[in-house]
């Protein structure tokens, strides 16, 4: 037996962008439901940076405080669980959870985030977000000047290495196989003192997530203090794709300047829409998505 409940807006995803959208909508007297499975991508990251008033705090503490603040609004409700299906109805949308509950809504916001796909490399999952890092703005200052690696290949390795080289001159690019950078790119990097290593990696030596060395398949190793990694990702939820949302070539949900997806009445915000993955950016996008959703509801009922 399923239960059915109706809301003005359902937000799928209860991390920074979802909570921010809920705060904007809850304060606008909208009946809001946040459906959250409780699996943020930065779960083991020890510190968050570049977010004013919260610089250096753990992502968990920021999210906990945010949920506490949003929970004070009677207009916002929380559902702990996994949304598995969504569909358009005559009056809006229906969302079904893993346990079979059905929730109806006039508008829908995807704040579902992304899931990083780890390579088959022993130790990388344990180090991810701690000493194997993705963003120089989030983590670069803490490892400035240190012996640093970059796990990437091709055009992204060349472009990203410029940013990392600005923070440390002791930089090695690990292509983990034959380099696909052009000869011109490789020569320019070498002229900057950047080393390119094509030997395949077997594992990362670490202590409680703090990387110590890269271990290669040929038995050799190289000591490191930090490793940037440009990893592939997938959408944390497949509902946007199943509902027909358009996606960008990079694999993100396509939104316009108002955070609207290609489906009328459906908005998206946070890491699932942009390559700029940061807490501050997610919060800003969530606030705007909430405001634009509220405006659309007002325009339709005025």
């Amino acid at each position: 037996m399923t239960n059915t409940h109706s809301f003005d807006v359902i937000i799928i995803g209860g991390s920074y962008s979802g909570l921010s959208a809920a705060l904007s909508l809850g304060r606008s007297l909208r009946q809001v439901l946040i459906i959250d499975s409780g699996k943020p991508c930065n779960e083991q990251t020890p510190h968050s940076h570049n977010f004013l008033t919260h610089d250096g705090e753990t992502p968990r503490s920021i999210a906990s405080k945010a949920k506490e603040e949003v929970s004070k609004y009677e207009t916002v409700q929380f559902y702990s669980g996994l949304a598995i299906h969504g569909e358009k109805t005559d009056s809006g949308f229906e969302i079904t959870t893993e346990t079979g509950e059905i929730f109806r809504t006039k508008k829908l916001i995807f704040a579902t985030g992304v899931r990083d796909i780890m390579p088959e490399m022993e130790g990388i999952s344990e180090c991810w977000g701690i000493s194997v890092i993705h963003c120089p703005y989030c983590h670069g200052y803490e490892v400035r000047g240190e012996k640093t690696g970059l796990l990437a290949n091709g055009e992204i390795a060349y472009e990203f290495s410029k940013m990392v080289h600005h923070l440390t001159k002791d930089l090695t690019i690990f292509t983990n196989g034959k380099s696909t950078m052009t000869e011109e790119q490789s020569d320019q990097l070498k002229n900057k003192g950047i080393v390119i290593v094509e030997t395949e990696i077997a594992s990362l030596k670490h202590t409680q997530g703090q990387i110590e060395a890269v271990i290669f398949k040929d038995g050799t190793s190289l000591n490191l203090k930090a490793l940037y990694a440009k990893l592939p990702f997938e959408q944390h939820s497949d509902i946007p794709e199943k509902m027909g949302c358009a996606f960008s070539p990079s694999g993100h949900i396509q939104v316009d300047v108002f955070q609207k997806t290609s489906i009328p009445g459906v908005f998206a915000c946070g890491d699932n829409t942009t390559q700029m993955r940061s807490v501050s950016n997610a919060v800003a996008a969530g606030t705007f998505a909430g405001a634009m959703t509220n405006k659309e509801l007002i325009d339709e009922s005025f």
Side-chain angles (χ1 to χ4, degrees):
M1 179 70 69
T2 61
N3 296 317
T4 305
H5 313 277
S6 297
F7 297 86
D8 293 322
V9 184
I10 288 179
I11 301 168
I12 304 180
S15 192
Y16 313 104
S17 61
L19 288 168
S20 185
L23 185 61
S24 180
L25 285 160
R27 288 179 54 82
S28 298
L29 308 182
R30 295 300 177 185
Q31 296 301 313
V32 180
L33 176 68
I34 297 176
I35 301 176
D36 183 51
S37 62
K39 295 180 179 179
C41 67
N42 60 359
E43 191 169 12
Q44 66 181 28
T45 302
H47 301 287
S48 174
H49 293 282
N50 252 11
F51 186 13
L52 283 172
T53 74
H54 295 285
D55 191 59
E57 290 186 35
T58 65
R60 185 184 296 272
S61 68
I62 298 172
S64 177
K65 184 178 180 182
K67 185 173 182 179
E68 182 182 331
E69 292 177 349
V70 175
S71 297
K72 293 177 182 177
Y73 290 87
E74 295 179 355
T75 45
V76 180
Q77 296 183 44
F78 291 84
Y79 177 90
S80 180
L82 182 65
I84 61 170
H85 181 72
E87 62 181 70
K88 186 80 175 70
T89 67
D90 292 339
S91 58
F93 304 91
E94 276 189 357
I95 298 296
T96 306
T97 70
E98 195 173 35
T99 55
E101 284 205 84
I102 296 174
F103 298 100
R104 290 177 177 159
T105 182
K106 298 173 185 175
K107 303 293 177 183
L108 183 60
I109 298 178
F110 287 115
T112 40
V114 296
R115 182 188 295 111
D116 297 294
I117 301 172
M118 296 293 144
E120 293 183 8
M121 186 181 298
E122 185 181 344
I124 192 168
S125 294
E126 292 85 348
C127 296
W128 184 240
I130 301 172
S131 59
V132 176
I133 51 185
H134 78 285
C135 173
Y137 293 104
C138 300
H139 309 286
Y141 184 84
E142 282 63 43
V143 293
R144 65 194 184 283
E146 297 284 6
K147 190 171 183 61
T148 302
L150 168 59
L151 178 62
N153 204 351
E155 189 69 23
I156 188 64
Y158 172 70
E159 291 296 334
F160 200 71
S161 66
K162 297 178 187 178
M163 299 183 69
V164 180
H165 185 259
H166 173 70
L167 295 164
T168 179
K169 305 308 179 217
D170 194 345
L171 176 60
T172 301
I173 297 176
F174 302 101
T175 56
N176 200 29
K178 184 173 177 56
S179 171
T180 55
M181 287 181 282
T182 66
E183 185 177 347
E184 183 181 0
Q185 289 172 336
S186 298
D187 289 343
Q188 186 177 2
L189 294 175
K190 291 173 183 176
N191 288 336
K192 290 289 186 180
I194 299 173
V195 178
I196 300 173
V197 175
E198 296 179 302
T199 311
E200 291 188 17
I201 299 171
S203 63
L204 302 180
K205 180 183 177 184
H206 69 95
T207 299
Q208 295 182 332
Q210 295 293 340
I211 191 170
E212 296 167 0
V214 171
I215 311 298
F216 299 102
K217 289 184 178 179
D218 63 6
T220 61
S221 63
L222 182 66
N223 292 338
L224 280 183
K225 284 287 188 178
L227 177 66
Y228 288 89
K230 299 305 290 182
L231 301 181
F233 71 90
E234 60 186 5
Q235 290 285 327
H236 198 268
S237 171
D238 63 1
I239 299 176
E241 182 180 8
K242 287 181 176 178
M243 288 185 66
C245 287
F247 285 78
S248 68
S250 62
H252 296 93
I253 300 174
Q254 188 173 298
V255 293
D256 64 12
V257 294
F258 302 111
Q259 302 296 142
K260 295 182 181 182
T261 71
S262 59
I263 300 176
V266 179
F267 297 72
C269 55
D271 291 353
N272 59 6
T273 66
T274 177
Q275 296 184 52
M276 187 62 178
R277 291 171 61 178
S278 71
V279 174
S280 57
N281 191 62
V283 169
T287 298
F288 194 56
M292 292 300 99
T293 305
N294 182 57
K295 182 181 187 305
E296 189 166 278
L297 285 165
I298 288 173
D299 288 344
E300 290 173 356
S301 63
F302 191 76

